[in-house]
Amino acid sequence: MQSDNPTAAILLIGDEILSGRTRDLNAHHLAGILNGIGIDLREIRVVADDHPAIVAALRALDQALGGAWDMVFTSGGIGPTHDDITADAVADAYGTVLEINADARRMMEERWTRLGMEITEARLRMARIPVGATLIENAESAAPGFSIGGAHVMAGVPSVFRSMVEALVPRLNPGRPPVSETIRVDRPESDVADGLREVAGRFADLSLGSYPFRDEAGFGTNLVIRGLDPDRVAQAAAALRDRLAL
Amino acid sequence: MQSDNPTAAILLIGDEILSGRTRDLNAHHLAGILNGIGIDLREIRVVADDHPAIVAALRALDQALGGAWDMVFTSGGIGPTHDDITADAVADAYGTVLEINADARRMMEERWTRLGMEITEARLRMARIPVGATLIENAESAAPGFSIGGAHVMAGVPSVFRSMVEALVPRLNPGRPPVSETIRVDRPESDVADGLREVAGRFADLSLGSYPFRDEAGFGTNLVIRGLDPDRVAQAAAALRDRLAL
């Protein structure tokens, strides 16, 4: 699909995903949102709770560090425990240091006071923010995420991640959202491959994808046409229906 | 966690995951299986249906190509349509070419004959296998995956992926499976951080992770101790219960 839309990557940080213990929910959630605002998600990575691995991934993914994409959204590793090392790694990657951030501290203390919770050193650890970063609000549990360079650093707990995404999205530079049309065919992919290839060749500005599935009735295929121009997408869908005699 | 276990990466190939259209099921499924046979999954990547992106990811991930890990498992892009470009990219990455593989053709023709399906050019496309590769059987729909270098190339459709994983696993060089113990605490992560850090310091050969969750009762934490020696894991669990007065 031809597009000048901004590009992005998602970086999930967490041993628990790699060990198979936890199934990630956050990448799929954010992928749908980015698609809806015309930000072109080009890559997802999952790395361990490992300082060098996080730094290397940020360098590979964020254009601000010489990496590939306009922005990178991280999830995980910003909690209060010893294995929460994302903020330290991010500070290193962007050549800055962590400091207790006064605004972050205030947000968290307001919540703790309201809930009658003590202010402990472990809790304050979550107010350590890279110098130069902008906070991302967390309506769910107060401890904020932050943005620095092209990176937006958010929590791993799905409800908290969603809350941060909601706060962040209005601040992102959006693109032109793609439109898509899906044609469901109750035939195996190999039955429609020739027609699909031919029509795809005539609509090189669009993306024509073919997604096989299996349900109780056997193998079927979803044909998905994506592009920025609704008229072109409709033309391609009509051409495809015509070619496949649907 | 200290370990000499073999290391691995998973590479998912597919625009449909990046656009948020499809939620991946395969990485989580394989992660659990690898953990159970002592293969240490260190990274997951998702890239687009894009030739250079697939080649670059294989080079970064497979030690046989100068990459980081002992093996890499791919999912997606080996079907019969124009957007199925994984086999071409894999052949390029490993410096070989695609040819109709006689065994793959036979497996597929047996199935098609049984089902009364025609042998078409599109279907035969799935018998194009890199020269030098070993086939991975597919009990679900016949068209096989394949292994070359440190890469094991499998389908994206979950039922087919699972069938290929089942055929492949007995051929993998396993490691020593980690044991783990989970302690559920109905307190926020920040309440247990100090105790966890202290005990983690005494058991540097183990991995002590802390996984916050939120349910109807509020925030809680799963403490997970992982290691290769069951006695050490049990000692760490006892120490943690003691330190946190559980």
Side-chain angles (χ1 to χ4, degrees):
Chain A
M1 191 175 71
Q2 290 162 3
S3 140
D4 297 324
N5 281 342
T7 59
I10 295 175
L11 174 61
L12 307 174
I13 297 154
D15 291 348
E16 71 278 21
I17 299 168
L18 296 171
S19 73
R21 197 185 165 280
T22 299
R23 185 167 162 205
D24 169 65
L25 298 166
N26 295 342
H28 180 62
H29 172 73
L30 182 54
I33 287 175
L34 294 177
N35 185 63
I37 58 173
I39 293 176
D40 197 4
L41 179 62
R42 302 291 288 274
E43 187 169 347
I44 302 170
R45 289 195 194 185
V46 187
V47 300
D49 296 311
D50 175 66
H51 191 106
I54 300 167
V55 172
L58 287 166
R59 287 189 180 140
L61 297 173
D62 183 4
Q63 232 164 50
L65 297 176
W69 316 118
D70 294 328
M71 52 195 113
V72 51
F73 301 88
T74 83
S75 165
I78 61 167
T81 61
H82 70 284
D83 57 339
D84 289 307
I85 60 171
T86 297
D88 296 88
V90 170
D92 255 17
Y94 292 90
T96 182
V97 292
L98 296 179
E99 268 183 13
I100 296 283
N101 179 292
D103 289 330
R105 183 179 181 139
R106 185 186 40 73
M107 290 171 184
M108 293 163 69
E109 287 181 345
E110 270 173 24
R111 177 182 161 88
W112 300 336
T113 306
R114 204 169 61 243
L115 297 177
M117 284 162 74
E118 236 181 305
I119 296 165
T120 61
E121 207 178 313
R123 294 211 168 101
L124 273 180
R125 200 165 178 269
M126 293 188 283
R128 291 159 68 241
I129 304 285
V131 172
T134 311
L135 300 183
I136 302 173
E137 277 187 41
N138 163 7
E140 183 76 5
S141 56
F146 56 85
S147 302
I148 186 167
H152 305 287
V153 177
M154 296 180 281
V157 178
S159 60
V160 179
F161 180 79
R162 284 170 187 238
S163 169
M164 290 180 178
V165 166
E166 210 172 299
L168 177 63
V169 159
R171 301 207 316 250
L172 297 175
N173 187 20
R176 195 171 155 197
V179 291
S180 74
E181 189 158 338
T182 300
I183 301 174
R184 183 192 155 117
V185 190
D186 289 319
R187 273 145 59 185
E189 213 181 5
S190 50
D191 271 16
V192 296
D194 291 343
L196 183 65
R197 178 180 289 112
E198 191 194 298
V199 174
R202 283 193 271 145
F203 291 87
D205 54 322
L206 307 179
S207 141
L208 274 74
S210 147
Y211 304 111
F213 60 83
R214 170 152 210 183
D215 63 15
E216 49 296 339
F219 284 92
T221 309
N222 281 310
L223 304 174
V224 180
I225 304 150
R226 297 176 83 236
L228 296 180
D229 179 345
D231 291 342
R232 290 285 290 166
V233 170
Q235 285 162 22
L240 205 50
R241 286 201 181 84
D242 189 53
R243 176 63 179 77
L244 297 173
L246 297 172
Chain B
M1 193 175 70
Q2 290 161 3
S3 139
D4 298 323
N5 281 341
T7 59
I10 294 174
L11 175 61
L12 307 174
I13 297 154
D15 290 350
E16 71 278 20
I17 299 168
L18 295 172
S19 73
R21 195 183 167 281
T22 299
R23 187 169 159 203
D24 169 66
L25 299 165
N26 295 342
H28 179 61
H29 172 73
L30 182 55
I33 287 175
L34 294 177
N35 185 63
I37 57 173
I39 293 177
D40 197 4
L41 178 62
R42 302 292 289 275
E43 188 169 347
I44 302 170
R45 289 196 194 183
V46 187
V47 299
D49 296 311
D50 175 65
H51 192 106
I54 300 168
V55 172
L58 288 166
R59 287 188 179 142
L61 297 174
D62 183 4
Q63 232 163 51
L65 297 176
W69 316 118
D70 295 327
M71 54 194 112
V72 51
F73 301 88
T74 82
S75 164
I78 60 167
T81 61
H82 70 283
D83 57 339
D84 289 306
I85 61 171
T86 297
D88 297 87
V90 170
D92 255 17
Y94 292 89
T96 182
V97 293
L98 296 179
E99 268 182 13
I100 296 283
N101 179 292
D103 289 331
R105 184 180 180 139
R106 186 185 40 74
M107 291 171 183
M108 293 162 69
E109 287 181 346
E110 270 173 25
R111 178 183 160 87
W112 300 336
T113 306
R114 205 170 59 245
L115 297 177
M117 284 161 73
E118 238 181 305
I119 296 165
T120 62
E121 206 177 315
R123 294 211 168 101
L124 273 180
R125 199 166 178 268
M126 292 188 283
R128 293 159 66 241
I129 303 286
V131 172
T134 310
L135 299 183
I136 302 173
E137 277 186 40
N138 164 9
E140 184 76 5
S141 56
F146 56 85
S147 302
I148 185 168
H152 305 287
V153 177
M154 297 180 281
V157 178
S159 60
V160 179
F161 180 79
R162 284 171 188 239
S163 169
M164 290 181 179
V165 166
E166 212 174 294
L168 176 64
V169 159
R171 302 207 315 249
L172 298 174
N173 187 20
R176 195 169 155 198
V179 291
S180 74
E181 189 157 339
T182 300
I183 301 174
R184 183 192 157 118
V185 191
D186 289 319
R187 274 144 60 183
E189 213 182 4
S190 49
D191 271 16
V192 296
D194 291 343
L196 183 65
R197 177 179 289 111
E198 192 194 298
V199 174
R202 283 193 271 145
F203 291 86
D205 53 323
L206 306 179
S207 142
L208 275 74
S210 146
Y211 304 111
F213 61 84
R214 169 152 213 184
D215 64 14
E216 49 297 339
F219 283 93
T221 309
N222 281 311
L223 303 174
V224 180
I225 305 150
R226 297 176 84 237
L228 296 181
D229 179 345
D231 291 342
R232 290 286 289 165
V233 169
Q235 285 163 21
L240 205 50
R241 286 201 181 84
D242 189 54
R243 175 63 179 76
L244 298 174
L246 297 172

